[in-house]
PDB file of all heavy atoms in Angstrom:
ATOM      1  N   ALA Y  37     120.821  86.499 354.478  1.00 97.00           N
ATOM      2  CA  ALA Y  37     121.951  85.626 354.145  1.00 97.00           C
ATOM      3  C   ALA Y  37     123.188  86.482 353.908  1.00 97.00           C
ATOM      4  O   ALA Y  37     123.094  87.595 353.388  1.00 97.00           O
ATOM      5  CB  ALA Y  37     121.649  84.791 352.906  1.00 97.00           C
ATOM      6  N   VAL Y  38     124.357  85.959 354.296  1.00 98.00           N
ATOM      7  CA  VAL Y  38     125.638  86.607 354.032  1.00 98.00           C
ATOM      8  C   VAL Y  38     126.644  85.544 353.609  1.00 98.00           C
ATOM      9  O   VAL Y  38     126.548  84.386 354.028  1.00 98.00           O
ATOM     10  CB  VAL Y  38     126.181  87.382 355.259  1.00 98.00           C
ATOM     11  CG1 VAL Y  38     125.318  88.581 355.574  1.00 98.00           C
ATOM     12  CG2 VAL Y  38     126.318  86.489 356.460  1.00 98.00           C
ATOM     13  N   ALA Y  39     127.595  85.956 352.769  1.00 97.00           N
ATOM     14  CA  ALA Y  39     128.632  85.018 352.319  1.00 97.00           C
ATOM     15  C   ALA Y  39     129.929  85.781 352.078  1.00 97.00           C
ATOM     16  O   ALA Y  39     129.916  86.961 351.708  1.00 97.00           O
ATOM     17  CB  ALA Y  39     128.199  84.321 351.039  1.00 97.00           C
ATOM     18  N   PHE Y  40     131.035  85.076 352.281  1.00 97.00           N
ATOM     19  CA  PHE Y  40     132.366  85.624 352.057  1.00 97.00           C
ATOM     20  C   PHE Y  40     133.214  84.558 351.378  1.00 97.00           C
ATOM     21  O   PHE Y  40     133.134  83.376 351.731  1.00 97.00           O
ATOM     22  CB  PHE Y  40     133.014  86.022 353.391  1.00 97.00           C
ATOM     23  CG  PHE Y  40     134.472  86.349 353.273  1.00 97.00           C
ATOM     24  CD1 PHE Y  40     134.876  87.531 352.684  1.00 97.00           C
ATOM     25  CD2 PHE Y  40     135.430  85.463 353.737  1.00 97.00           C
ATOM     26  CE1 PHE Y  40     136.224  87.839 352.564  1.00 97.00           C
ATOM     27  CE2 PHE Y  40     136.774  85.752 353.620  1.00 97.00           C
ATOM     28  CZ  PHE Y  40     137.178  86.938 353.033  1.00 97.00           C
ATOM     29  N   ALA Y  41     133.994  84.964 350.396  1.00 97.00           N
ATOM     30  CA  ALA Y  41     134.936  84.042 349.743  1.00 97.00           C
ATOM     31  C   ALA Y  41     136.279  84.742 349.612  1.00 97.00           C
ATOM     32  O   ALA Y  41     136.350  85.947 349.342  1.00 97.00           O
ATOM     33  CB  ALA Y  41     134.417  83.628 348.368  1.00 97.00           C
ATOM     34  N   TRP Y  42     137.338  83.969 349.801  1.00 96.00           N
ATOM     35  CA  TRP Y  42     138.703  84.499 349.706  1.00 96.00           C
ATOM     36  C   TRP Y  42     139.444  83.684 348.662  1.00 96.00           C
ATOM     37  O   TRP Y  42     139.645  82.480 348.831  1.00 96.00           O
ATOM     38  CB  TRP Y  42     139.381  84.409 351.054  1.00 96.00           C
ATOM     39  CG  TRP Y  42     140.798  84.900 351.095  1.00 96.00           C
ATOM     40  CD1 TRP Y  42     141.422  85.735 350.228  1.00 96.00           C
ATOM     41  CD2 TRP Y  42     141.764  84.573 352.102  1.00 96.00           C
ATOM     42  NE1 TRP Y  42     142.710  85.953 350.612  1.00 96.00           N
ATOM     43  CE2 TRP Y  42     142.960  85.257 351.775  1.00 96.00           C
ATOM     44  CE3 TRP Y  42     141.741  83.784 353.241  1.00 96.00           C
ATOM     45  CZ2 TRP Y  42     144.109  85.162 352.544  1.00 96.00           C
ATOM     46  CZ3 TRP Y  42     142.889  83.690 354.007  1.00 96.00           C
ATOM     47  CH2 TRP Y  42     144.055  84.375 353.660  1.00 96.00           C
ATOM     48  N   GLN Y  43     139.844  84.350 347.584  1.00 94.00           N
ATOM     49  CA  GLN Y  43     140.628  83.717 346.513  1.00 94.00           C
ATOM     50  C   GLN Y  43     142.091  83.709 346.948  1.00 94.00           C
ATOM     51  O   GLN Y  43     142.855  84.605 346.594  1.00 94.00           O
ATOM     52  CB  GLN Y  43     140.478  84.501 345.202  1.00 94.00           C
ATOM     53  CG  GLN Y  43     139.163  84.336 344.546  1.00 94.00           C
ATOM     54  CD  GLN Y  43     139.145  83.120 343.628  1.00 94.00           C
ATOM     55  OE1 GLN Y  43     139.834  82.127 343.839  1.00 94.00           O
ATOM     56  NE2 GLN Y  43     138.342  83.206 342.605  1.00 94.00           N
ATOM     57  N   LEU Y  44     142.490  82.698 347.682  1.00 92.00           N
ATOM     58  CA  LEU Y  44     143.864  82.626 348.166  1.00 92.00           C
ATOM     59  C   LEU Y  44     144.868  82.558 347.017  1.00 92.00           C
ATOM     60  O   LEU Y  44     145.980  83.077 347.127  1.00 92.00           O
ATOM     61  CB  LEU Y  44     144.034  81.397 349.077  1.00 92.00           C
ATOM     62  CG  LEU Y  44     143.495  81.559 350.478  1.00 92.00           C
ATOM     63  CD1 LEU Y  44     142.212  80.795 350.630  1.00 92.00           C
ATOM     64  CD2 LEU Y  44     144.522  81.090 351.450  1.00 92.00           C
ATOM     65  N   SER Y  45     144.480  81.930 345.920  1.00 90.00           N
ATOM     66  CA  SER Y  45     145.395  81.763 344.790  1.00 90.00           C
ATOM     67  C   SER Y  45     145.714  83.096 344.106  1.00 90.00           C
ATOM     68  O   SER Y  45     146.661  83.168 343.322  1.00 90.00           O
ATOM     69  CB  SER Y  45     144.819  80.779 343.776  1.00 90.00           C
ATOM     70  OG  SER Y  45     143.534  81.183 343.365  1.00 90.00           O
ATOM     71  N   GLU Y  46     144.969  84.166 344.411  1.00 88.00           N
ATOM     72  CA  GLU Y  46     145.242  85.486 343.839  1.00 88.00           C
ATOM     73  C   GLU Y  46     146.157  86.324 344.722  1.00 88.00           C
ATOM     74  O   GLU Y  46     146.541  87.430 344.347  1.00 88.00           O
ATOM     75  CB  GLU Y  46     143.925  86.240 343.607  1.00 88.00           C
ATOM     76  CG  GLU Y  46     142.998  85.584 342.613  1.00 88.00           C
ATOM     77  CD  GLU Y  46     143.601  85.500 341.215  1.00 88.00           C
ATOM     78  OE1 GLU Y  46     144.245  86.483 340.785  1.00 88.00           O
ATOM     79  OE2 GLU Y  46     143.439  84.448 340.578  1.00 88.00           O
ATOM     80  N   GLU Y  47     146.506  85.811 345.886  1.00 88.00           N
ATOM     81  CA  GLU Y  47     147.389  86.542 346.792  1.00 88.00           C
ATOM     82  C   GLU Y  47     148.835  86.468 346.306  1.00 88.00           C
ATOM     83  O   GLU Y  47     149.251  85.479 345.704  1.00 88.00           O
ATOM     84  CB  GLU Y  47     147.301  85.968 348.217  1.00 88.00           C
ATOM     85  CG  GLU Y  47     145.961  86.142 348.874  1.00 88.00           C
ATOM     86  CD  GLU Y  47     145.665  87.583 349.273  1.00 88.00           C
ATOM     87  OE1 GLU Y  47     146.570  88.458 349.181  1.00 88.00           O
ATOM     88  OE2 GLU Y  47     144.522  87.846 349.677  1.00 88.00           O
ATOM     89  N   SER Y  48     149.617  87.517 346.588  1.00 87.00           N
ATOM     90  CA  SER Y  48     151.012  87.570 346.135  1.00 87.00           C
ATOM     91  C   SER Y  48     151.875  86.513 346.810  1.00 87.00           C
ATOM     92  O   SER Y  48     152.839  86.029 346.224  1.00 87.00           O
ATOM     93  CB  SER Y  48     151.589  88.960 346.388  1.00 87.00           C
ATOM     94  OG  SER Y  48     151.531  89.267 347.769  1.00 87.00           O
ATOM     95  N   PHE Y  49     151.536  86.117 348.048  1.00 89.00           N
ATOM     96  CA  PHE Y  49     152.331  85.110 348.745  1.00 89.00           C
ATOM     97  C   PHE Y  49     152.057  83.683 348.260  1.00 89.00           C
ATOM     98  O   PHE Y  49     152.797  82.774 348.579  1.00 89.00           O
ATOM     99  CB  PHE Y  49     152.093  85.181 350.258  1.00 89.00           C
ATOM    100  CG  PHE Y  49     150.675  84.903 350.674  1.00 89.00           C
ATOM    101  CD1 PHE Y  49     150.192  83.606 350.771  1.00 89.00           C
ATOM    102  CD2 PHE Y  49     149.822  85.951 350.986  1.00 89.00           C
ATOM    103  CE1 PHE Y  49     148.887  83.358 351.153  1.00 89.00           C
ATOM    104  CE2 PHE Y  49     148.519  85.715 351.379  1.00 89.00           C
ATOM    105  CZ  PHE Y  49     148.049  84.415 351.463  1.00 89.00           C
TER     106      PHE Y  49
END
Side-chain angles (χ1 to χ4, degrees):
V38 292
F40 169 73
W42 179 20
Q43 287 273 30
L44 282 105
S45 55
E46 297 297 319
E47 295 288 352
S48 59
F49 62 80

